Amino acid sequence: MSEAGDAAAGQRLFVGGRWVVPDEGYYEVVDPATEETVGRAPEASRDQVLAACAAAREALDGWSRTPAGERAAVLGRAADLIRGRLGAYADLARAETGATTGTARAMQVGVAAARFRRYATVEPAEWAIPPQINEAGPMGRAGVMGALAVRQPVGVVSCITSYNNPWANPAGKIAPALAMGNTVVVKPAPQDPLSVYRMAEALEAAGAPAGVVNVVSGRSTGVGEAAVASPDVDMVSFTGSTAVGQRIAEVCGRDMKRQLMELGGKGAAVVFEDADVGSAVAGIGTTFSFYSGQICTAPTRVLVQRGLYDRLVTELAAYAGRLTVGDPAAPGTVVGPVISAAHRSRVESYVELGRKEGATVVTGGERPPLERGFYVAPTLLADCTNDMRVAREEIFGPVVSVVPFDDEEEGVALANDSEFGLIDYVWSGDVARAFRVARRLRAGGVGINTVGRNMEAPFGGFKKSGVGRDVGSYALHAYSEVQAIVWPG
């Protein structure tokens, strides 16, 4: 058996550079497409989580003083190792998450490798501030002052990740945190932690020193709570629900810990009568297929100008009906399962709630006729109003709600009438209007005639969709403190 463990014996924790047998035993990770066991994941004890945080603290001084180029080289080697094992890693990701083969290869493992490669590029950690002539200060002297802004690592970062992408999401936290000289404790989602342990293996093989990267997992809420509350932790980077994020923020607030929160979303897609309907349908349709709607950036709340309403509903229904639901390993599959039986029941309960609220189920709403797996048919709810729960709450499944509006003012008002504000979308043939509307939307990001993202653009939310920004250079700031150094010129 390898140090990390094997499928039969069970995966081990990664603490302080050692692969450790979990105190609380193991639990089964289930393939949501087949309901078969993928592997046995470790259940850490609270003491083991605290030991991981202590190991990260012990490693911090040495790693933070390691030259940035050497840290970057570790990330680069990790990127190469992940890319070299893409096929096997993608197979594991597909089995853990139910993502289609294409999504697992390109958007999960492929994006993870790209993120490690991105932060293997060393960027300046300091920048000069123009000299300033100061008036006489408390010492009674005036003069020219020079200044330099320097990025310093925050310290030990607890990275708590979501189940929808066990490769890209952790990599987006780990890579910039390590690049800036922080050490990390990663607590992956309990549904699909095995991929994160493979990432830890790659980092170990790439030369990350003992304690720089630690991974602890478990189904118990106590695992995550310990990773947040540990006195050795300086920052928590969390991706998940708003409700959990609020509880984490309360704990962080007591000790003034830095927070980076990417939370829930209920993205509004504002579609005007002059929109390219094909583009709008294809973009909104990603809610049905991409991670089976289990993604916070999805345009799940479609606001359509009334003159286009009937046509868009018809074409969206036709689009959803053409999507192949089934085995994510099959070449033609577009829509895989949701993560678990419990989550399938939750999504189905929202569809039934929509019916009771007065929405019309135009397509979907039933369980696909498949013998095994946690599948939900792509579902379109029409005749919705913005006060319905299906239009206000994050369903996190392949369900789209459609609400009509009359004019630009109403469309903007409806889009902003939400407690969320992660990413919204605008479709219009009038580019000037699209940009005007985008500037009025209370969301951290706005897509104009696209659901694509620029991975150097800041990512994060307004309102209850989060705190802080990451991705690209913004992540380097997110995982660092800025220190000002001044001197007489």
Side-chain angles (χ1 to χ4, degrees):
M1 185 180 72
S2 69
E3 288 187 6
D6 60 29
Q11 172 66 56
R12 294 185 179 184
L13 306 167
F14 190 52
V15 178
R18 297 189 302 115
W19 295 95
V20 181
V21 175
D23 288 344
E24 302 297 329
Y26 301 89
Y27 66 93
E28 293 184 345
V29 175
V30 175
D31 184 332
T34 66
E35 302 184 45
E36 296 175 353
T37 299
V38 177
R40 301 175 71 227
E43 185 84 46
S45 67
R46 178 180 176 83
D47 286 345
Q48 287 179 312
V49 177
L50 296 178
C53 298
R57 171 64 61 190
E58 184 176 354
L60 177 62
D61 184 60
W63 181 248
S64 65
R65 291 190 295 108
T66 298
E70 293 182 23
R71 298 197 301 259
V74 171
L75 300 179
R77 290 192 293 270
D80 292 341
L81 287 167
I82 292 169
R83 177 64 65 183
R85 300 168 185 169
L86 189 148
Y89 287 165
D91 287 345
L92 175 61
R94 184 189 65 222
E96 284 195 286
T97 67
T100 62
T101 298
T103 295
R105 290 179 67 90
M107 301 307 298
Q108 295 190 344
V109 183
V111 170
R115 286 182 168 172
F116 278 104
R117 175 59 58 193
R118 162 66 178 83
Y119 295 106
T121 303
V122 181
E123 295 190 7
E126 56 189 44
W127 59 98
I129 298 171
Q132 178 179 343
I133 300 176
N134 290 351
E135 296 180 0
M139 303 302 292
R141 298 179 60 186
V144 177
M145 298 298 294
L148 195 66
V150 179
R151 283 200 298 251
Q152 300 276 19
V154 178
V156 175
V157 182
S158 182
C159 303
I160 303 177
T161 66
S162 59
Y163 69 72
N164 58 347
N165 195 325
W167 280 94
N169 184 262
K173 299 178 186 298
I174 297 168
L178 297 187
M180 285 309 308
N182 303 282
T183 56
V184 298
V185 176
V186 188
K187 191 277 176 188
Q191 296 92 336
D192 49 14
L194 301 178
S195 289
V196 182
Y197 285 104
R198 301 291 79 73
M199 191 181 302
E201 286 180 352
L203 283 161
E204 180 186 31
V212 168
V213 177
N214 306 270
V215 184
V216 290
S217 59
R219 293 172 297 179
S220 167
T221 57
V223 175
E225 289 170 353
V228 171
S230 166
D232 286 310
V233 169
D234 301 292
M235 174 180 174
V236 176
S237 176
F238 171 70
T239 299
S241 72
T242 295
V244 174
Q246 288 172 320
R247 293 199 293 273
I248 290 173
E250 290 174 0
V251 176
C252 289
R254 289 197 287 269
D255 292 320
M256 300 303 292
K257 294 181 181 182
R258 172 81 77 84
Q259 303 165 49
L260 179 60
M261 300 279 187
E262 197 265 283
L263 307 177
K266 192 70 175 178
V270 184
V271 185
F272 289 96
E273 291 174 346
D274 62 352
D276 180 325
V277 176
S279 172
V281 168
I284 295 163
T286 60
T287 301
F288 302 129
S289 56
F290 195 45
Y291 300 130
S292 300
Q294 299 168 112
I295 184 166
C296 51
T297 59
T300 55
R301 185 168 54 110
V302 181
L303 311 175
V304 190
Q305 198 164 15
R306 205 171 293 275
L308 188 63
Y309 183 86
D310 290 340
R311 180 184 171 190
L312 190 75
V313 168
T314 299
E315 295 200 18
L316 268 175
Y319 181 95
R322 292 192 297 268
L323 300 176
T324 301
V325 181
D327 180 4
T333 297
V334 180
V335 183
V338 296
I339 194 67
S340 65
H343 190 57
R344 176 180 60 187
S345 296
R346 179 180 182 274
V347 174
E348 290 174 338
S349 72
Y350 267 105
V351 176
E352 184 58 31
L353 174 62
R355 285 194 178 99
K356 292 178 180 178
E357 290 182 311
T360 300
V361 181
V362 181
T363 190
E366 75 287 343
R367 188 173 294 185
L370 298 168
E371 291 185 4
R372 307 185 77 180
F374 311 127
Y375 293 94
V376 176
T379 300
L380 183 66
L381 303 178
D383 304 318
C384 297
T385 59
N386 210 48
D387 59 350
M388 291 180 177
R389 286 179 60 189
V390 291
R392 302 196 71 80
E393 299 177 12
E394 186 175 39
I395 299 173
F396 222 58
V399 180
V400 170
S401 304
V402 189
V403 178
F405 70 89
D406 288 312
D407 56 26
E408 181 178 315
E409 287 299 317
E410 185 184 15
V412 171
L414 289 172
N416 287 335
D417 182 18
S418 172
E419 67 179 8
F420 298 110
L422 188 56
I423 295 187
D424 287 343
Y425 305 87
V426 181
W427 268 275
S428 174
D430 183 341
V431 175
R433 173 168 65 180
F435 273 87
R436 180 175 69 242
V437 169
R439 292 294 300 272
R440 297 181 64 192
L441 296 178
R442 297 290 296 163
V446 181
I448 293 179
N449 296 326
T450 183
V451 293
R453 283 178 56 196
N454 182 322
M455 298 309 292
E456 288 297 312
F459 180 69
F462 288 11
K463 298 182 279 189
K464 291 186 178 180
S465 283
V467 177
R469 297 292 183 272
D470 67 354
V471 180
S473 297
Y474 294 88
L476 298 175
H477 288 283
Y479 292 97
S480 61
E481 299 281 12
V482 177
Q483 179 186 57
I485 300 176
V486 300
W487 64 90

